[in-house]
Amino acid sequence: MRILRHTYVPFLLAALLVTLAMDFPQVLWPLIFVCLVPILWYQHNQTPAVWSRGEAVHLFLKMFVFGFVFAIASTPWFASTYPLTWLRITDPALSIAIITVIWAGFAVAMSLPMTLWPFCLSFLRTDNKLVSAFIAASAWIVLEYARSWLVAFSVYGQGVLFGPHHTYYSLAYVLSGAPVFRDLLPLGGMYLGTFVVVLINYALFELLLARRMQVSANREVGYLLVVIVSIVGVGFVGM
């Protein structure tokens, strides 16, 4: 676990896990259930009791790395638009420049809201694991919704809000390849799926932490597991 304490390793590792799950959802969907654990581990070990402006900026930059790497690595298909002859642009250099600028702008639009997630969590001062998990899941959904609007109006246009691009970058997208879990999507949409994904990441992190400390898991973690099983069970039976 020492590697997770290195400055940028947790964020790069999390970006790799979520990207692999996003690019190969039919095969690597289990990775989505552990993709946030490295960030949670870092948060647990590195969050200061009293924040300074410099520390806040550093955390923001570290999470931006996660968002930027995830956005770039999960959209390799964007390079396939080269050359831009279909836009009647025949100059190869101009095509490369245009694609690079748009791709970078897309990545920035995707990653900016993602940077806020651990920043928001860092201000939580509750010892109740169940409350923390619910707040974390709700915060991710709110930022996910904000991200879709930012991408829509900065890159694609408002049509993305109701099209396939709106859901592709949701954590719950990979559940389409997950047995049982995919039944959540028709029942509660991508937001319910994402909510459950974040809860599972929190539960696994807390269990890992309890094992690391060689103590029994808190009662709140048990309640969290019951909530997860209940939501997934209702989705499975309901569909």
Side-chain angles (χ1 to χ4, degrees):
M1 294 301 175
R2 290 182 179 180
I3 193 172
L4 293 182
R5 297 182 182 181
H6 194 274
T7 306
Y8 283 94
V9 169
F11 302 91
L12 292 173
L13 179 59
L16 175 64
L17 293 175
V18 70
T19 300
L20 287 174
M22 200 71 67
D23 288 344
F24 306 98
Q26 300 298 323
V27 180
L28 299 180
W29 57 265
L31 293 181
I32 205 70
F33 297 133
V34 296
C35 67
L36 300 177
V37 170
I39 297 175
L40 293 172
W41 189 271
Y42 178 91
Q43 195 77 21
H44 173 76
N45 288 286
Q46 301 295 333
T47 299
V50 179
W51 278 92
S52 67
R53 183 175 180 179
E55 289 168 331
V57 171
H58 287 157
L59 176 61
F60 194 85
L61 291 176
K62 292 167 189 173
M63 192 58 185
F64 182 81
V65 169
F66 163 73
F68 193 84
V69 170
F70 159 67
I72 288 290
S74 62
T75 53
W77 52 266
F78 203 81
S80 67
T81 58
Y82 176 86
L84 295 179
T85 52
W86 50 281
L87 288 178
R88 298 181 181 180
I89 298 175
T90 57
D91 188 341
L94 182 59
S95 295
I96 293 176
I98 292 175
I99 290 173
T100 300
V101 170
I102 295 179
W103 199 356
F106 171 80
V108 171
M110 284 287 294
S111 61
L112 277 175
M114 300 174 101
T115 65
L116 295 175
W117 187 67
F119 189 73
C120 294
L121 296 187
S122 65
F123 291 100
L124 289 179
R125 289 294 180 264
T126 175
D127 294 328
N128 191 306
K129 309 302 181 184
L130 186 61
V131 172
S132 297
F134 270 70
I135 293 177
S138 300
W140 188 279
I141 290 174
V142 170
L143 293 172
E144 190 172 271
Y145 190 73
R147 184 169 70 247
S148 68
W149 276 85
L150 181 59
V151 172
F153 288 105
S154 62
V155 182
Y156 287 119
Q158 65 182 28
V160 74
L161 293 176
F162 308 102
H165 295 101
H166 173 60
T167 57
Y168 177 78
Y169 299 100
S170 167
L171 286 178
Y173 170 81
V174 302
L175 295 184
S176 60
V180 179
F181 289 98
R182 61 189 172 199
D183 294 319
L184 290 172
L185 304 185
L187 186 69
M190 288 291 176
Y191 295 127
L192 178 60
T194 297
F195 190 79
V196 172
V197 166
V198 178
L199 290 185
I200 291 176
N201 273 270
Y202 245 84
L204 291 177
F205 164 70
E206 292 297 342
L207 291 175
L208 178 65
L209 187 63
R211 182 177 180 181
R212 175 74 175 177
M213 301 300 180
Q214 296 183 344
V215 296
S216 59
N218 293 332
R219 181 174 56 183
E220 289 85 358
V221 179
Y223 291 153
L224 178 58
L225 293 175
V226 171
V227 170
I228 294 172
V229 172
S230 299
I231 295 176
V232 176
V234 169
F236 178 73
V237 174
M239 293 307 299

